Amino acid sequence: MAETPAEDLIHYIAPKGEYIPFLDDTDYIAKGLEWKLFTARSVKRELLYKSGSFQGKVKLAGYEQYGNGLDTVVVEFENGKRSCIHPSYLKEMQSSSFGKELLSGPVSETSAVPSEKEQVIDAPITETSDQLSEEPKKAKTKSKRTTAKPKLELPGEKVHFTATVKEFTAKMNHFTGEEDEVILMENVKVTTEPELTIGDAWCGYSKTLKKAELEEGDEIEFDGKVVDKKYNKEIRYKVNNPSKLVKKGMDA
């Protein structure tokens, strides 16, 4: 029997009647910023759609608007099909950690428009549903072993780093009730003695860093202090007060 293409397993939720297309590029950017799907610094024309059985790129086709002021985004898949999805759920899909613990299998309607109480099942994406039903304890143990990382012995003083700019995004500041702009970095290393590989880290997108006109993929080096402060479960460490930043061999 021929294997069903993964995209045919998606539960498409078609728009109800005529949805609202974007008026122009300015309207597209304004709505994307409102939904927090990208930043003004990094406007995205394609976004990721993830489920347990499928991961691919989608484009924003428009939205549906309701009397309560809430929007439902209409996305278009590469096969031309359109589906509705809540903007906050689409935003979650852009995270590198999203979907790593989803079960393989067809996507249900609730996965396209989730409730606030919806929870992802704690099992690695590489395990099939049959394997989990036969050996649930073994699968759960494997998940914990693959995600657990030893805590690093961080330097207590300011040190020199090299890193790569991965993404411009935002993080909720619970003290102000607003979102702060942040930078996600990868390949972060302490190059002063003793050398230390941090891996992924994050830092605030300060006015000083904005002057450097950074872009995703830029290789940088700078001074700063690394602390144990999570961005999410995948990114545990934060760099405070980065300074003396150098980008591509040029002083920032």
Side-chain angles (χ1 to χ4, degrees):
M1 181 181 293
E3 185 176 349
T4 303
E7 61 182 14
D8 290 344
L9 299 175
I10 298 172
H11 185 93
Y12 299 98
I13 302 177
K16 298 178 181 179
E18 293 293 328
Y19 64 87
I20 304 172
F22 301 108
L23 298 175
D24 49 29
D25 195 54
T26 300
D27 185 37
Y28 173 91
I29 295 174
K31 296 302 292 184
L33 293 175
E34 178 185 333
W35 297 325
K36 297 181 174 61
L37 296 176
F38 47 72
T39 66
R41 181 70 180 168
S42 180
V43 176
K44 296 181 179 179
R45 303 298 172 178
E46 292 182 323
L47 296 109
L48 293 175
Y49 183 97
K50 303 176 184 179
S51 72
S53 57
F54 173 81
Q55 176 173 321
K57 294 181 179 180
V58 295
K59 294 182 179 180
L60 303 181
Y63 59 97
E64 291 184 326
Q65 202 165 45
Y66 300 94
N68 55 8
L70 298 177
D71 297 332
T72 298
V73 183
V74 178
V75 297
E76 182 175 316
F77 292 80
E78 292 180 315
N79 61 7
K81 293 185 179 181
R82 295 187 177 94
S83 184
C84 296
I85 184 172
H86 194 280
S88 63
Y89 194 51
L90 183 59
K91 178 187 174 184
E92 290 180 18
M93 289 183 178
Q94 308 316 302
S95 170
S96 59
S97 61
F98 183 92
K100 289 186 177 180
E101 296 180 345
L102 285 173
L103 289 174
S104 297
V107 179
S108 66
E109 182 170 343
T110 56
S111 66
V113 186
S115 67
E116 294 181 357
K117 296 182 179 179
E118 183 178 78
Q119 297 181 349
V120 177
I121 298 176
D122 183 18
I125 191 172
T126 54
E127 299 289 339
T128 65
S129 56
D130 290 338
Q131 289 173 316
L132 290 170
S133 61
E134 293 175 2
E135 299 179 312
K137 293 183 179 179
K138 182 177 180 181
K140 189 171 183 179
T141 301
K142 182 177 180 180
S143 175
K144 289 183 177 179
R145 287 178 179 174
T146 55
T147 57
K149 294 181 180 180
K151 184 176 179 181
L152 299 175
E153 290 292 333
L154 303 177
E157 66 284 346
K158 207 168 187 179
V159 291
H160 195 69
F161 295 87
T162 59
T164 303
V165 177
K166 183 177 182 180
E167 182 180 350
F168 296 90
T169 184
K171 180 176 176 62
M172 176 59 68
N173 186 324
H174 297 289
F175 292 101
T176 64
E178 299 178 351
E179 288 193 323
D180 295 334
E181 290 182 283
V182 302
I183 298 179
L184 304 185
M185 299 179 290
E186 57 187 355
N187 304 321
V188 182
K189 296 180 181 179
V190 175
T191 58
T192 47
E193 294 293 339
E195 295 185 356
L196 178 66
T197 298
I198 304 295
D200 293 337
W202 66 286
C203 71
Y205 193 22
S206 64
K207 292 181 180 180
T208 301
L209 293 181
K210 288 180 180 179
K211 290 180 181 179
E213 299 182 349
L214 297 173
E215 296 181 0
E216 293 178 6
D218 280 349
E219 295 182 1
I220 57 177
E221 57 180 283
F222 54 90
D223 291 342
K225 184 176 181 180
V226 60
V227 295
D228 190 347
K229 186 174 182 180
K230 291 182 180 179
Y231 172 78
N232 56 24
K233 288 193 295 184
E234 298 295 320
I235 304 177
R236 177 169 183 168
Y237 301 105
K238 179 186 179 185
V239 175
N240 283 336
N241 305 318
S243 62
K244 299 181 181 179
L245 188 143
V246 178
K247 178 184 67 170
K248 296 180 180 179
M250 298 177 62
D251 291 337

